[in-house]
Amino acid sequence: MSLTVASLHIHPIKSLGGFSVPEARITDRGFAHDRRWMLVDGSGRFISQRENARMACLHCAPWAGGFRVTDIRNSGSIDLPWTITTGTATQTTIWNDPVITLDAPPEVSAWFTRGLEMDVRLVFMPDNAMRPVDPTYAQGINSLSDGYPYLILSQASLDDLNARVAHSSSPSAGERIPMDRFRPNIVITGGSAHQEDGWKDISIGSARFALVKPCARCMIPTIDQRTGERGKEPSRTLATYRAYDNKVLFGMNAMATKGDVVRVGDLVADPLHEEIT
């Protein structure tokens, strides 16, 4: 069975809900508009759903030359541009990486402060901000995503996970875990579960990607992306068969090495399979 791109996803603000697109433009730090904004606390450190699960209820969608953030709990919304070029430049931190970012207008940050019930600032990563990826695994730069510009996941992997949850004794056995819990950029259909584990280099249409490191999962996939409620699945089930060196792995981090655009329906070249070691 041919492997093809099932869906493409962009998350303009780190850890907020994203949206799917029929095609996405490749840049040196990820898809255009993906994770160029983030929310930081009073010390300038990034925050995510790990610290504030309410972020799951803030969903982004394209709107009038930029994007709209909607709080699905009350339908409140705010419109933002894809980029800004002015604003106070401050050093912020994502994990251990210092990044120079531009502050959004105070009234914008105030909207997020009210919705998240904590003091936050919204900041933007300009083009001149360089954040290298871990040189142990790859060369290049990143956006404000956790570690690498792209995350690739097979639909078969999620289908396998849901089948395992359904046959478990979990209280969530009757529920399906949706793909948005895992926040991928590229979802591939066809093939077998966890085929991406062994891929090193694949072509998608005319583009090419190097898969450089398995994605170690935190607790964010246990958060319902419509209510912000935390549960035990899918982490509990994943830990029974996807644990390696005290980490739970699901999906592959990747770098783009060639190409300008990828599209839903693009063919994925037959990759070589090598097991995780």
Side-chain angles (χ1 to χ4, degrees):
M1 180 180 179
S2 297
L3 305 180
T4 60
V5 174
S7 58
L8 301 166
H9 303 270
I10 291 172
H11 304 81
I13 302 178
K14 181 176 178 62
S15 218
L16 268 58
F19 54 88
S20 60
V21 293
E23 64 178 42
R25 181 167 59 87
I26 293 170
T27 78
D28 57 356
R29 66 188 81 200
F31 284 148
H33 310 312
D34 188 61
R35 295 171 171 95
R36 295 297 294 270
W37 294 87
M38 71 177 175
L39 290 158
V40 300
D41 63 17
S43 66
R45 184 183 185 278
F46 85 104
I47 63 168
S48 71
Q49 293 181 34
R50 301 171 186 89
E51 295 80 29
N52 193 324
R54 296 180 184 89
M55 295 174 74
C57 299
L58 303 182
H59 291 197
C60 302
W63 185 264
F67 65 102
R68 170 169 288 181
V69 183
T70 300
D71 188 333
I72 62 172
R73 297 169 298 180
N74 56 27
S75 299
S77 66
I78 190 168
D79 295 340
L80 295 168
W82 293 123
T83 65
I84 57 173
T85 56
T86 60
T88 302
T90 57
Q91 180 172 292
T92 54
T93 305
I94 173 168
W95 298 113
N96 294 321
D97 300 335
V99 182
I100 298 299
T101 54
L102 300 177
D103 284 2
E107 61 272 19
V108 173
S109 293
W111 187 88
F112 287 95
T113 291
R114 291 190 297 271
L116 298 177
E117 299 181 18
M118 69 178 293
D119 188 19
V120 297
R121 283 187 293 127
L122 182 67
V123 299
F124 175 76
M125 181 189 214
D127 287 343
N128 61 0
M130 299 290 114
R131 182 187 171 217
V133 299
D134 186 341
T136 304
Y137 299 97
Q139 298 294 320
I141 62 173
N142 195 11
S143 62
L144 298 170
S145 60
D146 274 354
Y148 298 88
Y150 298 93
L151 178 62
I152 296 176
L153 188 59
S154 290
Q155 181 64 48
S157 302
L158 180 62
D159 293 343
D160 178 69
L161 168 61
N162 275 311
R164 292 172 185 267
V165 173
H167 289 91
S168 72
S169 59
S170 169
S172 302
E175 302 175 13
R176 287 188 61 82
I177 305 299
M179 186 64 79
D180 63 5
R181 297 273 192 103
F182 297 98
R183 309 177 66 77
N185 296 109
I186 302 172
V187 178
I188 293 171
T189 190
S192 58
H194 306 296
Q195 57 194 343
E196 59 270 29
D197 290 354
W199 296 349
K200 299 300 181 184
D201 189 76
I202 61 173
S203 61
I204 300 178
S206 60
R208 202 161 186 89
F209 292 85
L211 284 75
V212 298
K213 187 177 184 292
C215 183
R217 292 297 176 171
C218 63
M219 46 71 66
I220 288 179
T222 68
I223 300 173
D224 187 309
Q225 298 298 295
R226 281 146 189 80
T227 66
E229 296 178 357
R230 303 179 192 269
K232 296 186 181 297
E233 294 292 359
S235 294
R236 182 164 75 170
T237 296
L238 282 171
T240 65
Y241 72 107
R242 293 295 298 172
Y244 298 86
D245 295 329
N246 297 315
K247 296 178 180 179
V248 173
L249 307 181
F250 198 73
M252 289 291 291
N253 292 298
M255 306 289 294
T257 58
K258 177 186 176 183
D260 300 315
V261 66
V262 291
R263 298 178 175 87
V264 171
D266 277 350
L267 288 175
V268 180
D270 293 335
L272 296 175
H273 181 77
E274 299 177 15
E275 298 292 342
I276 289 177
T277 58

mmCIF file of all heavy atoms in Angstrom, residues 113-157:
data_model
loop_
_atom_site.group_PDB
_atom_site.id
_atom_site.type_symbol
_atom_site.label_atom_id
_atom_site.label_comp_id
_atom_site.label_asym_id
_atom_site.label_seq_id
_atom_site.Cartn_x
_atom_site.Cartn_y
_atom_site.Cartn_z
ATOM 1 N N THR A 113 -3.549 36.616 29.616
ATOM 2 C CA THR A 113 -3.469 36.578 31.078
ATOM 3 C C THR A 113 -4.840 36.293 31.684
ATOM 4 O O THR A 113 -4.974 35.480 32.604
ATOM 5 C CB THR A 113 -2.904 37.900 31.616
ATOM 6 O OG1 THR A 113 -1.518 37.998 31.250
ATOM 7 C CG2 THR A 113 -3.024 37.997 33.125
ATOM 8 N N ARG A 114 -5.863 36.942 31.156
ATOM 9 C CA ARG A 114 -7.218 36.707 31.673
ATOM 10 C C ARG A 114 -7.676 35.274 31.384
ATOM 11 O O ARG A 114 -8.249 34.604 32.251
ATOM 12 C CB ARG A 114 -8.196 37.711 31.058
ATOM 13 C CG ARG A 114 -7.996 39.154 31.519
ATOM 14 C CD ARG A 114 -9.143 40.043 31.068
ATOM 15 N NE ARG A 114 -9.247 40.139 29.620
ATOM 16 C CZ ARG A 114 -8.617 41.048 28.882
ATOM 17 N NH1 ARG A 114 -7.809 41.927 29.459
ATOM 18 N NH2 ARG A 114 -8.777 41.082 27.573
ATOM 19 N N GLY A 115 -7.434 34.809 30.174
ATOM 20 C CA GLY A 115 -7.914 33.483 29.806
ATOM 21 C C GLY A 115 -7.209 32.354 30.528
ATOM 22 O O GLY A 115 -7.814 31.316 30.814
ATOM 23 N N LEU A 116 -5.930 32.550 30.823
ATOM 24 C CA LEU A 116 -5.154 31.489 31.469
ATOM 25 C C LEU A 116 -5.069 31.650 32.976
ATOM 26 O O LEU A 116 -4.523 30.789 33.669
ATOM 27 C CB LEU A 116 -3.743 31.451 30.863
ATOM 28 C CG LEU A 116 -3.687 31.141 29.372
ATOM 29 C CD1 LEU A 116 -2.248 31.196 28.873
ATOM 30 C CD2 LEU A 116 -4.310 29.790 29.058
ATOM 31 N N GLU A 117 -5.575 32.763 33.478
ATOM 32 C CA GLU A 117 -5.581 33.032 34.914
ATOM 33 C C GLU A 117 -4.174 32.966 35.505
ATOM 34 O O GLU A 117 -3.950 32.447 36.599
ATOM 35 C CB GLU A 117 -6.528 32.066 35.640
ATOM 36 C CG GLU A 117 -7.969 32.197 35.187
ATOM 37 C CD GLU A 117 -8.901 31.249 35.917
ATOM 38 O OE1 GLU A 117 -8.516 30.741 36.994
ATOM 39 O OE2 GLU A 117 -10.024 31.006 35.420
ATOM 40 N N MET A 118 -3.214 33.489 34.743
ATOM 41 C CA MET A 118 -1.848 33.642 35.230
ATOM 42 C C MET A 118 -1.189 34.744 34.416
ATOM 43 O O MET A 118 -1.597 35.027 33.285
ATOM 44 C CB MET A 118 -1.048 32.336 35.117
ATOM 45 C CG MET A 118 -0.730 31.890 33.717
ATOM 46 S SD MET A 118 0.293 30.357 33.646
ATOM 47 C CE MET A 118 1.851 30.939 34.348
ATOM 48 N N ASP A 119 -0.219 35.397 35.003
ATOM 49 C CA ASP A 119 0.447 36.522 34.358
ATOM 50 C C ASP A 119 1.374 36.007 33.263
ATOM 51 O O ASP A 119 2.348 35.308 33.546
ATOM 52 C CB ASP A 119 1.235 37.321 35.392
ATOM 53 C CG ASP A 119 1.783 38.621 34.823
ATOM 54 O OD1 ASP A 119 1.264 39.074 33.783
ATOM 55 O OD2 ASP A 119 2.740 39.171 35.401
ATOM 56 N N VAL A 120 1.062 36.310 32.003
ATOM 57 C CA VAL A 120 1.857 35.836 30.877
ATOM 58 C C VAL A 120 2.106 36.979 29.904
ATOM 59 O O VAL A 120 1.400 37.998 29.911
ATOM 60 C CB VAL A 120 1.160 34.682 30.135
ATOM 61 C CG1 VAL A 120 0.992 33.479 31.043
ATOM 62 C CG2 VAL A 120 -0.179 35.115 29.545
ATOM 63 N N ARG A 121 3.116 36.790 29.073
ATOM 64 C CA ARG A 121 3.380 37.681 27.944
ATOM 65 C C ARG A 121 3.411 36.835 26.678
ATOM 66 O O ARG A 121 3.927 35.724 26.678
ATOM 67 C CB ARG A 121 4.732 38.393 28.085
ATOM 68 C CG ARG A 121 4.761 39.540 29.042
ATOM 69 C CD ARG A 121 6.103 40.268 28.967
ATOM 70 N NE ARG A 121 7.209 39.460 29.438
ATOM 71 C CZ ARG A 121 8.329 39.226 28.754
ATOM 72 N NH1 ARG A 121 8.478 39.718 27.526
ATOM 73 N NH2 ARG A 121 9.286 38.492 29.277
ATOM 74 N N LEU A 122 2.871 37.376 25.594
ATOM 75 C CA LEU A 122 2.981 36.730 24.300
ATOM 76 C C LEU A 122 4.176 37.334 23.577
ATOM 77 O O LEU A 122 4.303 38.566 23.503
ATOM 78 C CB LEU A 122 1.711 36.938 23.477
ATOM 79 C CG LEU A 122 1.696 36.251 22.111
ATOM 80 C CD1 LEU A 122 1.670 34.733 22.269
ATOM 81 C CD2 LEU A 122 0.505 36.726 21.273
ATOM 82 N N VAL A 123 5.050 36.462 23.053
ATOM 83 C CA VAL A 123 6.249 36.936 22.367
ATOM 84 C C VAL A 123 6.373 36.249 21.016
ATOM 85 O O VAL A 123 5.838 35.155 20.802
ATOM 86 C CB VAL A 123 7.523 36.697 23.207
ATOM 87 C CG1 VAL A 123 7.444 37.448 24.534
ATOM 88 C CG2 VAL A 123 7.763 35.205 23.443
ATOM 89 N N PHE A 124 7.114 36.919 20.109
ATOM 90 C CA PHE A 124 7.293 36.425 18.746
ATOM 91 C C PHE A 124 8.772 36.235 18.450
ATOM 92 O O PHE A 124 9.604 37.057 18.836
ATOM 93 C CB PHE A 124 6.690 37.415 17.743
ATOM 94 C CG PHE A 124 6.927 37.041 16.305
ATOM 95 C CD1 PHE A 124 6.189 36.033 15.716
ATOM 96 C CD2 PHE A 124 7.897 37.695 15.555
ATOM 97 C CE1 PHE A 124 6.408 35.672 14.389
ATOM 98 C CE2 PHE A 124 8.116 37.345 14.229
ATOM 99 C CZ PHE A 124 7.375 36.335 13.648
ATOM 100 N N MET A 125 9.087 35.154 17.740
ATOM 101 C CA MET A 125 10.464 34.869 17.329
ATOM 102 C C MET A 125 10.719 35.467 15.947
ATOM 103 O O MET A 125 10.192 34.987 14.947
ATOM 104 C CB MET A 125 10.690 33.359 17.278
ATOM 105 C CG MET A 125 12.084 32.951 16.889
ATOM 106 S SD MET A 125 12.168 31.156 16.614
ATOM 107 C CE MET A 125 13.833 30.824 17.185
ATOM 108 N N PRO A 126 11.534 36.525 15.855
ATOM 109 C CA PRO A 126 11.794 37.133 14.552
ATOM 110 C C PRO A 126 12.782 36.301 13.735
ATOM 111 O O PRO A 126 13.442 35.390 14.261
ATOM 112 C CB PRO A 126 12.400 38.497 14.920
ATOM 113 C CG PRO A 126 13.052 38.262 16.246
ATOM 114 C CD PRO A 126 12.202 37.243 16.960
ATOM 115 N N ASP A 127 12.911 36.627 12.466
ATOM 116 C CA ASP A 127 13.764 35.850 11.572
ATOM 117 C C ASP A 127 15.239 35.898 11.965
ATOM 118 O O ASP A 127 15.993 34.977 11.639
ATOM 119 C CB ASP A 127 13.623 36.357 10.130
ATOM 120 C CG ASP A 127 12.287 35.959 9.511
ATOM 121 O OD1 ASP A 127 11.633 35.049 10.045
ATOM 122 O OD2 ASP A 127 11.919 36.553 8.481
ATOM 123 N N ASN A 128 15.656 36.971 12.640
ATOM 124 C CA ASN A 128 17.078 37.066 12.996
ATOM 125 C C ASN A 128 17.415 36.340 14.289
ATOM 126 O O ASN A 128 18.568 36.351 14.737
ATOM 127 C CB ASN A 128 17.529 38.522 13.073
ATOM 128 C CG ASN A 128 16.773 39.319 14.138
ATOM 129 O OD1 ASN A 128 15.903 38.778 14.822
ATOM 130 N ND2 ASN A 128 17.095 40.602 14.250
ATOM 131 N N ALA A 129 16.441 35.691 14.912
ATOM 132 C CA ALA A 129 16.695 34.905 16.122
ATOM 133 C C ALA A 129 17.096 33.490 15.702
ATOM 134 O O ALA A 129 16.320 32.789 15.047
ATOM 135 C CB ALA A 129 15.458 34.870 17.011
ATOM 136 N N MET A 130 18.298 33.097 16.058
ATOM 137 C CA MET A 130 18.812 31.785 15.679
ATOM 138 C C MET A 130 18.811 30.860 16.898
ATOM 139 O O MET A 130 19.459 31.148 17.907
ATOM 140 C CB MET A 130 20.240 31.902 15.136
ATOM 141 C CG MET A 130 20.372 32.772 13.892
ATOM 142 S SD MET A 130 19.639 32.011 12.405
ATOM 143 C CE MET A 130 18.284 33.158 12.107
ATOM 144 N N ARG A 131 18.102 29.762 16.794
ATOM 145 C CA ARG A 131 18.056 28.776 17.865
ATOM 146 C C ARG A 131 18.485 27.420 17.303
ATOM 147 O O ARG A 131 17.704 26.730 16.658
ATOM 148 C CB ARG A 131 16.643 28.686 18.449
ATOM 149 C CG ARG A 131 16.532 27.701 19.608
ATOM 150 C CD ARG A 131 15.094 27.509 20.034
ATOM 151 N NE ARG A 131 14.974 26.430 20.978
ATOM 152 C CZ ARG A 131 13.960 25.555 21.028
ATOM 153 N NH1 ARG A 131 12.964 25.661 20.159
ATOM 154 N NH2 ARG A 131 13.942 24.585 21.914
ATOM 155 N N PRO A 132 19.728 27.012 17.522
ATOM 156 C CA PRO A 132 20.207 25.758 16.941
ATOM 157 C C PRO A 132 19.515 24.551 17.563
ATOM 158 O O PRO A 132 19.134 24.559 18.735
ATOM 159 C CB PRO A 132 21.708 25.760 17.280
ATOM 160 C CG PRO A 132 22.042 27.169 17.663
ATOM 161 C CD PRO A 132 20.787 27.742 18.251
ATOM 162 N N VAL A 133 19.370 23.500 16.762
ATOM 163 C CA VAL A 133 18.920 22.224 17.301
ATOM 164 C C VAL A 133 20.098 21.553 17.991
ATOM 165 O O VAL A 133 21.243 21.994 17.859
ATOM 166 C CB VAL A 133 18.356 21.307 16.196
ATOM 167 C CG1 VAL A 133 17.153 21.957 15.535
ATOM 168 C CG2 VAL A 133 19.419 20.964 15.165
ATOM 169 N N ASP A 134 19.841 20.493 18.720
ATOM 170 C CA ASP A 134 20.890 19.761 19.424
ATOM 171 C C ASP A 134 21.873 19.180 18.400
ATOM 172 O O ASP A 134 21.500 18.318 17.596
ATOM 173 C CB ASP A 134 20.267 18.644 20.247
ATOM 174 C CG ASP A 134 21.267 17.909 21.124
ATOM 175 O OD1 ASP A 134 22.478 17.997 20.863
ATOM 176 O OD2 ASP A 134 20.828 17.213 22.070
ATOM 177 N N PRO A 135 23.138 19.636 18.398
ATOM 178 C CA PRO A 135 24.092 19.165 17.383
ATOM 179 C C PRO A 135 24.446 17.691 17.521
ATOM 180 O O PRO A 135 25.077 17.126 16.619
ATOM 181 C CB PRO A 135 25.316 20.062 17.628
ATOM 182 C CG PRO A 135 25.210 20.480 19.061
ATOM 183 C CD PRO A 135 23.737 20.610 19.325
ATOM 184 N N THR A 136 24.061 17.062 18.618
ATOM 185 C CA THR A 136 24.274 15.626 18.758
ATOM 186 C C THR A 136 23.504 14.853 17.701
ATOM 187 O O THR A 136 23.938 13.776 17.262
ATOM 188 C CB THR A 136 23.822 15.142 20.154
ATOM 189 O OG1 THR A 136 24.502 15.889 21.155
ATOM 190 C CG2 THR A 136 24.101 13.656 20.344
ATOM 191 N N TYR A 137 22.364 15.410 17.266
ATOM 192 C CA TYR A 137 21.479 14.683 16.359
ATOM 193 C C TYR A 137 21.348 15.311 14.982
ATOM 194 O O TYR A 137 21.023 14.610 14.023
ATOM 195 C CB TYR A 137 20.093 14.554 16.991
ATOM 196 C CG TYR A 137 20.103 13.808 18.289
ATOM 197 C CD1 TYR A 137 20.145 14.491 19.504
ATOM 198 C CD2 TYR A 137 20.097 12.414 18.313
ATOM 199 C CE1 TYR A 137 20.165 13.800 20.713
ATOM 200 C CE2 TYR A 137 20.122 11.723 19.512
ATOM 201 C CZ TYR A 137 20.158 12.419 20.709
ATOM 202 O OH TYR A 137 20.190 11.731 21.903
ATOM 203 N N ALA A 138 21.564 16.605 14.865
ATOM 204 C CA ALA A 138 21.350 17.260 13.573
ATOM 205 C C ALA A 138 22.015 18.623 13.566
ATOM 206 O O ALA A 138 22.424 19.150 14.610
ATOM 207 C CB ALA A 138 19.851 17.398 13.298
ATOM 208 N N GLN A 139 22.102 19.203 12.390
ATOM 209 C CA GLN A 139 22.584 20.562 12.200
ATOM 210 C C GLN A 139 21.443 21.394 11.639
ATOM 211 O O GLN A 139 20.717 20.946 10.761
ATOM 212 C CB GLN A 139 23.782 20.589 11.239
ATOM 213 C CG GLN A 139 24.992 19.811 11.732
ATOM 214 C CD GLN A 139 25.613 20.417 12.976
ATOM 215 O OE1 GLN A 139 25.711 21.646 13.094
ATOM 216 N NE2 GLN A 139 26.032 19.575 13.913
ATOM 217 N N GLY A 140 21.289 22.608 12.156
ATOM 218 C CA GLY A 140 20.246 23.482 11.661
ATOM 219 C C GLY A 140 19.631 24.286 12.787
ATOM 220 O O GLY A 140 20.115 24.260 13.924
ATOM 221 N N ILE A 141 18.575 25.014 12.462
ATOM 222 C CA ILE A 141 17.911 25.858 13.453
ATOM 223 C C ILE A 141 16.475 25.407 13.633
ATOM 224 O O ILE A 141 15.941 24.635 12.841
ATOM 225 C CB ILE A 141 17.978 27.352 13.075
ATOM 226 C CG1 ILE A 141 17.260 27.611 11.742
ATOM 227 C CG2 ILE A 141 19.421 27.830 13.031
ATOM 228 C CD1 ILE A 141 17.147 29.090 11.394
ATOM 229 N N ASN A 142 15.885 25.930 14.687
ATOM 230 C CA ASN A 142 14.543 25.520 15.076
ATOM 231 C C ASN A 142 13.679 26.745 15.296
ATOM 232 O O ASN A 142 14.178 27.868 15.438
ATOM 233 C CB ASN A 142 14.636 24.688 16.364
ATOM 234 C CG ASN A 142 13.378 23.913 16.669
ATOM 235 O OD1 ASN A 142 12.481 23.818 15.848
ATOM 236 N ND2 ASN A 142 13.300 23.359 17.864
ATOM 237 N N SER A 143 12.390 26.524 15.348
ATOM 238 C CA SER A 143 11.446 27.561 15.755
ATOM 239 C C SER A 143 11.335 27.503 17.270
ATOM 240 O O SER A 143 12.328 27.291 17.961
ATOM 241 C CB SER A 143 10.087 27.314 15.088
ATOM 242 O OG SER A 143 9.559 26.062 15.526
ATOM 243 N N LEU A 144 10.125 27.658 17.806
ATOM 244 C CA LEU A 144 9.907 27.564 19.253
ATOM 245 C C LEU A 144 9.311 26.214 19.641
ATOM 246 O O LEU A 144 8.796 26.054 20.736
ATOM 247 C CB LEU A 144 8.996 28.706 19.716
ATOM 248 C CG LEU A 144 9.577 30.107 19.480
ATOM 249 C CD1 LEU A 144 8.534 31.188 19.741
ATOM 250 C CD2 LEU A 144 10.806 30.350 20.353
ATOM 251 N N SER A 145 9.405 25.233 18.724
ATOM 252 C CA SER A 145 8.987 23.875 19.074
ATOM 253 C C SER A 145 9.973 23.308 20.091
ATOM 254 O O SER A 145 11.068 23.843 20.279
ATOM 255 C CB SER A 145 8.922 22.992 17.832
ATOM 256 O OG SER A 145 10.187 22.911 17.214
ATOM 257 N N ASP A 146 9.590 22.216 20.725
ATOM 258 C CA ASP A 146 10.414 21.709 21.825
ATOM 259 C C ASP A 146 11.853 21.440 21.416
ATOM 260 O O ASP A 146 12.782 21.868 22.093
ATOM 261 C CB ASP A 146 9.798 20.431 22.406
ATOM 262 C CG ASP A 146 8.748 20.732 23.460
ATOM 263 O OD1 ASP A 146 8.567 21.913 23.822
ATOM 264 O OD2 ASP A 146 8.095 19.784 23.928
ATOM 265 N N GLY A 147 12.054 20.691 20.316
ATOM 266 C CA GLY A 147 13.429 20.327 20.008
ATOM 267 C C GLY A 147 13.823 20.404 18.553
ATOM 268 O O GLY A 147 14.984 20.686 18.232
ATOM 269 N N TYR A 148 12.868 20.155 17.646
ATOM 270 C CA TYR A 148 13.188 20.061 16.226
ATOM 271 C C TYR A 148 12.059 20.672 15.405
ATOM 272 O O TYR A 148 10.924 20.754 15.871
ATOM 273 C CB TYR A 148 13.419 18.588 15.837
ATOM 274 C CG TYR A 148 14.584 17.993 16.589
ATOM 275 C CD1 TYR A 148 14.389 17.402 17.841
ATOM 276 C CD2 TYR A 148 15.880 18.079 16.091
ATOM 277 C CE1 TYR A 148 15.453 16.902 18.566
ATOM 278 C CE2 TYR A 148 16.952 17.568 16.810
ATOM 279 C CZ TYR A 148 16.736 16.990 18.039
ATOM 280 O OH TYR A 148 17.800 16.510 18.764
ATOM 281 N N PRO A 149 12.349 21.067 14.152
ATOM 282 C CA PRO A 149 11.344 21.798 13.371
ATOM 283 C C PRO A 149 10.121 20.993 12.962
ATOM 284 O O PRO A 149 9.048 21.570 12.767
ATOM 285 C CB PRO A 149 12.132 22.241 12.128
ATOM 286 C CG PRO A 149 13.559 22.184 12.519
ATOM 287 C CD PRO A 149 13.668 21.072 13.501
ATOM 288 N N TYR A 150 10.271 19.668 12.799
ATOM 289 C CA TYR A 150 9.164 18.871 12.282
ATOM 290 C C TYR A 150 8.944 17.641 13.160
ATOM 291 O O TYR A 150 9.893 17.052 13.676
ATOM 292 C CB TYR A 150 9.439 18.411 10.843
ATOM 293 C CG TYR A 150 9.593 19.564 9.882
ATOM 294 C CD1 TYR A 150 10.846 20.094 9.603
ATOM 295 C CD2 TYR A 150 8.481 20.133 9.264
ATOM 296 C CE1 TYR A 150 10.994 21.161 8.732
ATOM 297 C CE2 TYR A 150 8.620 21.198 8.397
ATOM 298 C CZ TYR A 150 9.877 21.716 8.132
ATOM 299 O OH TYR A 150 10.009 22.782 7.282
ATOM 300 N N LEU A 151 7.679 17.242 13.281
ATOM 301 C CA LEU A 151 7.321 16.008 13.954
ATOM 302 C C LEU A 151 6.473 15.191 12.993
ATOM 303 O O LEU A 151 5.439 15.665 12.502
ATOM 304 C CB LEU A 151 6.542 16.286 15.239
ATOM 305 C CG LEU A 151 6.071 15.053 16.008
ATOM 306 C CD1 LEU A 151 7.255 14.214 16.480
ATOM 307 C CD2 LEU A 151 5.215 15.457 17.206
ATOM 308 N N ILE A 152 6.916 13.965 12.721
ATOM 309 C CA ILE A 152 6.255 13.083 11.760
ATOM 310 C C ILE A 152 5.669 11.889 12.507
ATOM 311 O O ILE A 152 6.343 11.280 13.350
ATOM 312 C CB ILE A 152 7.256 12.617 10.685
ATOM 313 C CG1 ILE A 152 7.742 13.826 9.864
ATOM 314 C CG2 ILE A 152 6.625 11.572 9.772
ATOM 315 C CD1 ILE A 152 8.806 13.493 8.830
ATOM 316 N N LEU A 153 4.416 11.552 12.171
ATOM 317 C CA LEU A 153 3.725 10.455 12.851
ATOM 318 C C LEU A 153 2.850 9.711 11.843
ATOM 319 O O LEU A 153 2.244 10.323 10.969
ATOM 320 C CB LEU A 153 2.861 11.011 13.981
ATOM 321 C CG LEU A 153 2.196 10.048 14.948
ATOM 322 C CD1 LEU A 153 3.213 9.177 15.659
ATOM 323 C CD2 LEU A 153 1.390 10.831 15.984
ATOM 324 N N SER A 154 2.812 8.397 11.955
ATOM 325 C CA SER A 154 1.964 7.582 11.085
ATOM 326 C C SER A 154 0.581 7.394 11.711
ATOM 327 O O SER A 154 0.474 7.137 12.912
ATOM 328 C CB SER A 154 2.596 6.208 10.848
ATOM 329 O OG SER A 154 3.742 6.306 10.044
ATOM 330 N N GLN A 155 -0.442 7.474 10.874
ATOM 331 C CA GLN A 155 -1.796 7.194 11.354
ATOM 332 C C GLN A 155 -1.883 5.769 11.890
ATOM 333 O O GLN A 155 -2.593 5.505 12.873
ATOM 334 C CB GLN A 155 -2.798 7.381 10.218
ATOM 335 C CG GLN A 155 -4.241 7.133 10.605
ATOM 336 C CD GLN A 155 -4.751 8.123 11.645
ATOM 337 O OE1 GLN A 155 -4.558 9.327 11.502
ATOM 338 N NE2 GLN A 155 -5.415 7.620 12.692
ATOM 339 N N ALA A 156 -1.136 4.852 11.296
ATOM 340 C CA ALA A 156 -1.158 3.465 11.755
ATOM 341 C C ALA A 156 -0.667 3.347 13.198
ATOM 342 O O ALA A 156 -1.118 2.476 13.944
ATOM 343 C CB ALA A 156 -0.306 2.591 10.839
ATOM 344 N N SER A 157 0.251 4.202 13.586
ATOM 345 C CA SER A 157 0.754 4.175 14.964
ATOM 346 C C SER A 157 -0.346 4.568 15.938
ATOM 347 O O SER A 157 -0.500 3.952 17.002
ATOM 348 C CB SER A 157 1.952 5.118 15.110
ATOM 349 O OG SER A 157 2.988 4.774 14.221
#
